[in-house]
């Protein structure tokens, strides 16, 4: 590191300030889930015409020693205001800025008053400024600093604890002060080995438990980024995304960057999302501060719960996070991957979509955990959803999935199997057809003794022959029309339902014709939609009513 004479700094600092040699550099902060720029930190740089670029490490200590530090910090704030107003002029999104303060700032002057005056002068709101303070600052004189921070909070500033983990008494500091954001420097962890990972995960867990937001700085590698993302760290800052850059370059970077800037109106939305703890054994049921205060300690639960964060904008659905357990659950219900599920949900034609949709709307409406059973790809499962944030036309759902296959809950699955077979027994006939490929897939079950040849024929031929042999002449044409395979998909889509239902007269074993309820139900099997064709005997009353209606109102039975 270069050596600069203390005296050089002291005697040149104020003229350097005046000539604009000392200025703010900006390093963006990235929202982990979306990878958009959500704020920026201002870092002091001294570009000296004689000795070159000076890093803060060379002059901060000296300025502190000579009671000049507050001048630097206010000059940096002034710089921020100029950049802020330039961004405003250019119509760029106005994300917040962080400044670093020294403990000595508070000893020298009334810092809140000085900061407020600077902001007033430039017409910049206090909510646009975050204050970063290193934890070592607050080791002594707790009551004094608490008062100061309270007054900053009251004035609308957010306060970040900088360099968490670098000092000696971090836990005390956390207990004594209420910070908005915990800033963890990756460089304090000499490597990102198992121990470091465990420490980071625990810090994340703790921060969420006490309601603090999390930001990791000094993120340099993709590996670090991926790990931090997986443990639920909300924001990232470091060379992996961008180095600090001067004001002009930063404004240009904002306009050019592929990342894009988060809409500041969404700040509250993302703060709510950030509170979900990816590491919690039961994230949907995590206790709020109020519940903890009431002495409810039922929060220790077993097993990692499948968790996904799904964002819905209008009808479009996007997955922002899911853990391993969730992926496993999806595979159990027949999806190849998470992408597979999302594209299926976005395909509103999917047969089960309306059911899921209803569950989602109930979650949004009630804000409660909604738990419903579904059947997809022939597999029964329970889906849990909870709306965790809402705003700007978007909602964020936390979702979990319980499947009953394999080792998870064999007895529930066995019972389900047993009773669903009993349910099938209430039908007189069930077969499965695939109109896309023009085939009868199989005859599943039949009490009516229909000819075994149908599954061997092309579907359109089978329908005609079936109508000829099994359907009363009076109903034959209507039967053929409603079963017509090539138009089935479109007709079903137009109906807005997932099934057709009509009565037809079928030949029974005794040779007589009897009117029976008939359903053609669309189900999804992987990529294909197939249809279950079912025939069911009606009760005596329904039977009579159907006879009457089919004759007097044939227009009710056109599909
Ligand atoms: P800090 O607030 O923790 O700032 C983060 C430091 O890490 C910055 O160093 C930044 O350039 C550096 N950094 C960011 N990303 C990475 C990365 O991925 N890898 C590595 N190796 N480094 C990264 P910088 O700018 O030299 O500042 C050092 C410290 O000086 C700051 O630490 C802050 O405590 C203090 N400081 C900087 N500007 C000011 C200021 O205007 N006022 C006051 N009071 N202190 C300041
Ligand atoms: Mg900082
Ligand atoms: Mg730091």
């Amino acid at each position: 590191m270069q050596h600069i004479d203390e005296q050089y700094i002291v005697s040149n600092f104020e003229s350097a300030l005046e000539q604009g040699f000392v200025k703010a550099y900006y390093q963006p902060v990235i929202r982990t889930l979306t990878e958009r720029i959500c704020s920026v930190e201002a870092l002091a740089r001294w570009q000296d015409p004689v000795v070159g670029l000076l890093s803060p490490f060379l002059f901060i200590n000296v300025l502190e020693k000579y009671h000049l530090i507050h001048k630097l910090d206010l000059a940096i704030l002034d710089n921020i205001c100029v950049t802020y107003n330039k961004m405003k002029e250019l119509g760029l999104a106005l994300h917040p800025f962080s400044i670093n303060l020294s403990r000595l700032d508070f000893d020298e002057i009334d810092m809140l008053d000085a900061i407020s005056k600077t902001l007033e002068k430039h017409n910049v709101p206090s909510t646009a400024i975050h204050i970063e303070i290193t934890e070592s600052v607050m080791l002594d004189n707790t009551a004094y600093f608490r008062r100061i921070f309270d007054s900053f909070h009251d004035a609308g500033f957010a306060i970040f604890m900088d360099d968490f983990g670098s000092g000696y008494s971090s836990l005390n500091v956390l207990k004594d002060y209420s910070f908005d954001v915990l800033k963890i420097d990756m460089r304090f962890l000499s490597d990102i080995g198992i121990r470091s990972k465990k420490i980071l995960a625990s810090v994340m867990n703790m921060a969420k438990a006490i309601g603090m937001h999390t930001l990791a700085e000094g993120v340099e590698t993709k590996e670090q980024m991926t790990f931090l993302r997986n443990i639920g760290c909300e924001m990232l800052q470091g060379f992996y995304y961008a180095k600090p850059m001067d004001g002009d370059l930063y404004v240009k970077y904002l306009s050019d960057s592929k990342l894009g800037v988060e809409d500041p109106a969404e700040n509250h939305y993302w703060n709510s999302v950030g509170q979900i703890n990816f590491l919690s054994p039961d994230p949907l049921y995590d206790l709020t501060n109020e519940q903890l205060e009431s002495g409810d300690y039922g929060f220790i639960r077993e097993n990692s719960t499948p968790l996904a964060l799904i964002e819905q904008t209008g009808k479009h659905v996007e997955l922002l996070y899911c853990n391993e357990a969730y992926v496993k659950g999806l595979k159990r219900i027949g999806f190849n991957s998470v992408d597979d599920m999302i594209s299926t949900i976005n395909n509103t034609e999917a047969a089960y979509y309306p059911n899921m949709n209803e569950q989602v709307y109930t979650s949004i409406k009630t804000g409660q955990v909604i738990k419903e059973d579904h059947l997809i790809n022939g597999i029964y499962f329970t889906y849990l959803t909870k709306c965790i944030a809402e705003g700007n036309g978007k909602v964020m759902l936390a979702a979990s999935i319980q499947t009953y296959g394999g080792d998870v809950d064999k007895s529930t699955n066995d019972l389900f199997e047993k009773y669903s077979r009993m349910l099938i027994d209430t039908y007189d006939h069930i077969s499965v057809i695939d109109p896309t490929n023009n085939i009868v897939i199989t005859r599943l079950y039949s009490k009516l003794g229909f000819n075994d040849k149908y599954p061997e024929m092309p579907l359109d031929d089978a329908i005609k022959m079936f109508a000829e042999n099994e359907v009363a002449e009076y109903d034959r044409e209507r039967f053929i029309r409603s079963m017509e395979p090539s138009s089935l998909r479109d007709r079903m889509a137009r109906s807005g339902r997932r099934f057709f239902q009509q009565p037809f007269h079928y030949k029974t074993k005794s040779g007589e014709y009897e009117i029976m309820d008939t359903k053609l139900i669309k189900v999804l099997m992987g990529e294909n939609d197939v249809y279950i064709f079912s025939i069911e005997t009606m009760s005596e009353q329904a039977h009579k009513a159907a006879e009457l209606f089919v004759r007097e109102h044939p227009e009710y039975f056109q599909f």
Side-chain angles (χ1 to χ4, degrees):
M1 193 187 273
Q2 81 206 100
H3 177 77
I4 296 291
D5 197 320
E6 217 175 88
Q7 211 43 56
Y8 183 85
I9 287 170
V10 180
S11 40
N12 289 287
F13 173 65
E14 290 187 78
S15 73
L17 267 189
E18 271 159 36
Q19 291 170 271
F21 297 156
V22 178
K23 55 184 177 183
Y25 270 48
Y26 299 99
Q27 187 180 35
V29 176
I30 309 299
R31 179 82 61 192
T32 316
L33 281 176
T34 58
E35 289 203 301
R36 294 177 141 242
I37 300 161
C38 62
S39 73
V40 73
E41 179 175 9
L43 295 155
R45 295 288 180 273
W46 180 337
Q47 182 70 57
D48 192 89
V50 180
V51 294
L53 185 68
L54 297 178
S55 116
F57 290 115
L58 295 171
F59 56 85
I60 301 267
N61 286 343
V62 183
L63 296 179
E64 284 183 341
K65 187 168 158 194
Y66 290 89
H67 307 282
L68 292 165
I69 188 72
H70 61 287
K71 295 199 174 171
L72 170 76
D73 292 339
L74 289 171
I76 295 297
L77 182 66
D78 205 271
N79 255 252
I80 288 177
C81 291
V82 172
T83 305
Y84 183 91
N85 284 326
K86 197 184 285 169
M87 282 164 57
K88 199 164 159 185
E89 260 169 47
L90 292 171
L92 296 170
L94 295 169
H95 58 49
F97 287 71
S98 287
I99 53 169
N100 292 282
L101 294 186
S102 153
R103 77 154 290 163
L104 294 163
D105 284 330
F106 304 103
D107 294 348
E108 301 299 339
I109 55 166
D110 180 343
M111 206 54 188
L112 177 58
D113 183 60
I115 289 176
S116 305
K117 286 200 172 112
T118 307
L119 294 183
E120 245 166 62
K121 188 176 98 193
H122 293 278
N123 194 22
V124 173
S126 58
T127 46
I129 305 297
H130 300 151
I131 310 283
E132 292 194 10
I133 310 212
T134 8
E135 57 176 328
S136 55
V137 161
M138 297 154 286
L139 287 184
D140 51 330
N141 225 340
T142 312
Y144 169 69
F145 277 107
R146 225 180 358 213
R147 255 198 323 277
I148 291 182
F149 295 161
D150 283 348
S151 60
F152 271 88
H153 266 150
D154 291 344
F157 297 92
I159 306 180
F160 291 18
M161 181 195 235
D162 205 352
D163 302 334
F164 175 73
S166 66
Y168 296 100
S169 194
S170 309
L171 296 180
N172 263 335
V173 175
L174 282 185
K175 175 173 70 58
D176 291 338
Y177 301 94
S178 66
F179 295 97
D180 301 281
V181 176
L182 193 62
K183 213 167 164 174
I184 307 141
D185 198 322
M186 296 300 285
R187 286 167 299 168
F188 295 135
L189 302 164
S190 48
D191 61 275
I192 177 126
I194 297 287
R195 279 180 85 86
S196 298
K197 283 182 174 163
K198 284 190 175 165
I199 291 170
L200 277 170
S202 311
V203 168
M204 217 51 65
N205 220 339
M206 174 199 66
K208 301 229 176 178
I210 59 177
M212 276 172 82
H213 296 290
T214 46
L215 193 166
E217 65 176 323
V219 178
E220 292 183 348
T221 64
K222 182 158 186 178
E223 189 206 348
Q224 289 176 334
M225 182 277 278
T226 309
F227 176 71
L228 289 161
R229 183 184 158 83
N230 277 312
I231 60 172
C233 182
E234 295 171 67
M235 292 168 278
L236 306 172
Q237 181 187 351
F239 297 166
Y240 177 70
Y241 288 105
K243 291 199 165 171
M245 52 201 126
D246 75 30
D248 291 340
L249 211 67
Y250 183 64
V251 170
K252 195 169 166 326
Y253 169 84
L254 281 180
S255 327
D256 299 349
S257 173
K258 283 193 294 292
L259 297 175
V261 183
E262 181 175 303
D263 180 350
E266 290 180 8
N267 193 266
H268 182 72
Y269 175 82
W270 289 113
N271 277 344
S272 306
V273 173
Q275 279 165 348
I276 190 115
N277 187 355
F278 294 5
L279 304 170
S280 160
D282 222 341
L284 267 53
Y285 288 99
D286 271 349
L287 294 182
T288 59
N289 285 348
E290 295 82 64
Q291 284 169 306
L292 279 171
E293 255 164 39
S294 76
D296 174 1
Y297 292 114
F299 57 92
I300 303 160
R301 293 191 178 86
E302 299 155 19
N303 283 335
S304 146
T305 304
L307 172 71
L309 293 186
I310 301 172
E311 184 180 75
Q312 187 157 335
T313 316
K315 282 196 159 179
H316 182 76
V317 164
E318 205 171 321
L319 183 103
L320 283 130
Y321 168 82
C322 75
N323 61 12
E324 280 304 310
Y326 192 86
V327 176
K328 224 158 123 189
L330 284 184
K331 290 197 170 149
R332 283 217 180 95
I333 61 170
F335 290 104
N336 298 322
S337 64
V338 176
D339 291 344
D340 187 15
M341 180 207 63
I342 290 297
S343 69
T344 313
I345 293 181
N346 279 322
N347 166 14
T348 44
E349 261 197 77
Y352 56 85
Y353 184 70
N355 297 349
M356 285 283 200
N357 219 10
E358 247 169 62
Q359 170 164 0
V360 167
Y361 282 115
T362 317
S363 305
I364 297 168
K365 216 166 61 203
T366 62
Q368 303 292 315
V369 177
I370 305 294
K371 190 172 171 182
E372 281 180 17
D373 294 339
H374 298 273
L375 195 61
I376 289 183
N377 294 328
I379 297 153
Y380 155 68
F381 64 98
T382 304
Y383 203 56
L384 294 96
T385 49
K386 183 182 183 179
C387 174
I388 55 167
E390 210 177 340
N392 225 12
K394 305 190 289 198
V395 290
M396 187 67 77
L397 291 167
S400 191
I401 190 168
Q402 282 171 8
T403 50
Y404 302 97
D407 50 313
V408 176
D409 188 344
K410 199 159 177 331
S411 62
T412 310
N413 200 45
D414 287 350
L415 282 177
F416 187 79
E417 290 275 308
K418 189 164 128 193
Y419 289 111
S420 44
R421 279 172 210 284
M422 290 181 184
L423 208 59
I424 285 176
D425 191 45
T426 64
Y427 288 88
D428 293 276
H429 176 90
I430 296 177
S431 49
V432 188
I433 61 171
D434 174 355
T436 316
N437 298 308
N438 198 31
I439 50 171
V440 180
I441 295 178
T442 181
R443 189 198 73 180
L444 270 184
Y445 186 77
S446 190
K447 286 193 242 183
L448 291 169
F450 293 150
N451 191 331
D452 277 339
K453 290 267 177 291
Y454 304 125
E456 291 160 17
M457 313 165 79
L459 177 62
D460 47 2
D461 292 343
I463 290 169
K464 282 187 200 117
M465 190 171 161
F466 182 91
E468 199 69 39
N469 295 341
E470 324 289 354
V471 181
E473 198 188 338
Y474 170 77
D475 284 340
R476 211 164 276 158
E477 203 206 306
R478 185 166 59 92
F479 181 85
I480 294 174
R481 244 187 297 125
S482 76
M483 295 289 291
E484 204 286 304
S486 66
S487 61
L488 191 53
R489 200 179 182 180
D490 286 348
R491 286 185 289 131
M492 190 74 80
R494 259 183 277 130
S495 78
R497 290 187 177 266
R498 50 184 289 210
F499 61 88
F500 288 158
Q501 184 172 23
Q502 297 206 48
F504 294 106
H505 292 81
Y506 296 101
K507 195 194 278 167
T508 59
K509 270 197 218 150
S510 66
E512 314 242 302
Y513 286 98
E514 185 183 325
I515 195 161
M516 294 193 208
D517 192 17
T518 308
K519 269 192 197 154
L520 202 53
I521 306 160
K522 177 171 158 173
V523 292
L524 208 77
M525 275 293 170
E527 306 269 280
N528 248 356
D529 33 349
V530 300
Y531 294 77
I532 295 176
F533 169 72
S534 73
I535 300 174
E536 196 181 5
T537 315
M538 294 190 215
S539 72
E540 204 169 320
Q541 296 93 318
H543 194 279
K544 281 186 187 149
E547 285 284 6
L548 208 69
F549 268 91
V550 170
R551 280 175 208 283
E552 293 190 3
H553 290 286
E555 72 275 14
Y556 288 179
F557 301 96
Q558 305 298 328
F559 290 95

